[in-house]
């Protein structure tokens, strides 16, 4: 035993003591401003995407007003699909730029790393249970949550473009924002020793899930409620796996299943 040491000095440190306490990338005010700013950027990127795609795709846009482009473009499947891709590029680039300007490491802050196969299969099981329960409830309540897709499906130049945008591209930038940069910025506000190990994760999961659900303005109250639960599942997947890649994969699977169901009904 080292000189002047006591048995307590050599005791195994607690979980809280073993946690790495690095300085938060954002202050509490900074995290709040970031949250508001990213939500604002989310909607702005959609408008910018619709405008750019509308100018490229819609006929006779040379003399069309901005309002006309937004009105007709938001109901055109090709325009919306391209706008989703444009929005993804803008939002992911913005997230990366913000993290780097704050001196953070992008891969570390967004937890872009491999995840355990066992954890992945377990979370896939949780997602499947949710999807089955949600589908059963939707059927019993006679709800049609994907009705907003009808005009997009009917006007898109290629159905595969719409599938790619809504099933693959949208989940990527939504996860980067909500389970990525915003989740990390909020969770890191609760890393002081006075907080429990999971306090920050719980707060970040609740806040980002509520915001994520509310921004889906195309849905009704019932659909928004189910989105909150779905978002919490994605948050738990990030916590359980320690990787953002698992929520992205689960999000793609969920959107793919929903799109497959929609296409099977309209074809």
């Amino acid at each position: 035993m080292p000189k002047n040491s006591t048995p307590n000095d050599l005791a195994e440190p607690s979980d809280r003591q073993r946690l790495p306490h690095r300085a938060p990338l954002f202050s509490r005010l900074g995290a709040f401003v970031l949250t508001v700013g990213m939500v604002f950027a989310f909607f702005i990127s959609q408008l910018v995407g619709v405008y750019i795609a509308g100018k490229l795709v819609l006929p006779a846009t040379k003399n069309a007003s901005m309002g006309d482009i937004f009105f007709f473009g938001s109901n055109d499947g090709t325009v919306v699909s391209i706008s989703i891709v444009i929005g993804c590029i803008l939002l992911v680039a913005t997230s990366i730029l913000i993290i780097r300007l704050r001196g953070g490491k992008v891969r570390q802050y967004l937890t872009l790393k491999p995840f355990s196969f066992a954890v992945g299969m377990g979370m896939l099981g949780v997602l499947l249970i949710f999807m089955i329960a949600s589908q059963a409830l939707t059927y019993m309540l006679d709800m049609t949550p994907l009705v907003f897709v009808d005009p997009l499906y009917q006007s898109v130049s290629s159905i595969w473009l719409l599938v790619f945008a809504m099933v693959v591209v949208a989940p990527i930038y939504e996860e980067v924002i909500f389970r990525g940069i915003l989740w990390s910025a909020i969770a890191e506000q609760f890393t002081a020793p006075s907080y429990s190990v999971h306090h920050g994760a719980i707060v970040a999961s609740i806040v980002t899930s509520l915001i994520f659900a509310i921004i889906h303005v195309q849905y009704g109250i019932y659909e928004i409620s189910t989105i909150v639960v779905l978002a919490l599942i994605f948050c738990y997947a990030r916590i359980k796996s320690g990787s953002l890649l698992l929520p992205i994969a689960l999000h793609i699977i969920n959107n793919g299943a929903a799109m497959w169901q929609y296409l099977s009904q309209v074809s």
Side-chain angles (χ1 to χ4, degrees):
M1 181 178 297
K3 187 178 180 179
N4 297 328
S5 65
T6 66
N8 288 335
D9 294 329
L10 301 180
E12 182 73 6
S14 66
D15 290 340
R16 182 180 295 168
Q17 291 171 326
R18 285 198 296 266
L19 287 175
H21 294 300
R22 65 175 184 271
L25 210 60
F26 299 92
S27 65
R28 291 206 168 182
L29 177 60
F32 174 78
V33 172
L34 175 69
T35 301
V36 174
M38 289 305 293
V39 172
F40 182 73
F42 181 88
F43 289 108
I44 291 298
S45 68
Q46 290 183 330
L47 293 176
V48 170
V50 169
Y51 182 78
I52 294 175
K55 294 290 286 186
L56 294 173
V57 174
L58 294 177
T61 57
K62 184 177 181 179
N63 298 319
S65 67
M66 184 178 295
D68 289 336
I69 294 176
F70 286 143
F71 178 78
F72 292 107
S74 61
N75 290 289
D76 185 279
T78 303
V79 171
V80 170
S81 298
I82 296 175
S83 73
I84 290 174
V85 176
I86 294 173
C88 178
I89 295 172
L90 293 175
L91 291 171
V92 172
T94 299
S95 299
I96 292 173
L97 179 62
I98 290 173
I99 294 171
R100 287 183 173 175
L101 288 176
R102 297 297 300 175
K105 297 179 179 179
V106 174
R107 292 178 63 88
Q108 180 182 9
Y109 202 72
L110 297 180
T111 61
L112 299 174
K113 59 183 181 180
F115 55 87
S116 163
F117 177 78
V119 172
M121 289 297 99
M123 289 308 307
L124 178 59
V126 173
L127 178 63
L128 290 176
I129 292 173
F130 165 80
M131 290 168 62
I132 293 171
S134 176
Q135 180 59 35
L137 185 59
T138 300
Y139 178 79
M140 287 189 294
L141 296 177
D142 193 27
M143 305 294 291
T144 53
L146 292 180
V147 66
F148 74 95
V149 181
D150 288 343
L152 305 181
Y153 172 79
Q154 295 165 3
S155 58
V156 71
S157 59
S158 170
I159 186 60
W160 293 110
L161 176 61
L162 183 64
V163 170
F164 174 71
M166 298 187 69
V167 173
V168 179
V169 179
I172 291 175
Y173 73 78
E174 288 179 349
E175 292 306 311
V176 167
I177 294 174
F178 294 98
R179 261 66 63 182
I181 186 172
L182 292 186
W183 195 97
S184 293
I186 295 172
E188 71 181 3
Q189 305 305 314
F190 304 89
T191 57
S194 57
Y195 292 106
S196 65
V197 175
H198 301 295
H199 190 78
I202 293 173
V203 174
S205 297
I206 293 174
V207 172
T208 57
S209 296
L210 289 174
I211 297 174
F212 177 71
I214 292 172
I215 65 168
H216 285 78
V217 294
Q218 69 270 36
Y219 293 115
I221 297 298
Y222 165 73
E223 291 83 4
I224 289 177
S225 300
T226 61
I227 291 174
V228 171
V229 178
L230 182 63
L232 289 172
I233 291 174
F234 294 155
C235 289
Y236 183 62
R238 169 174 172 161
I239 297 169
K240 191 73 173 176
S241 66
S243 173
L244 184 64
L245 299 181
L246 181 55
I248 290 175
L250 295 177
H251 200 153
I252 290 174
I253 291 171
N254 177 79
N255 284 21
M259 181 61 74
W260 174 80
Q261 182 183 18
Y262 172 82
L263 294 177
S264 64
Q265 292 175 346
V266 298
S267 60

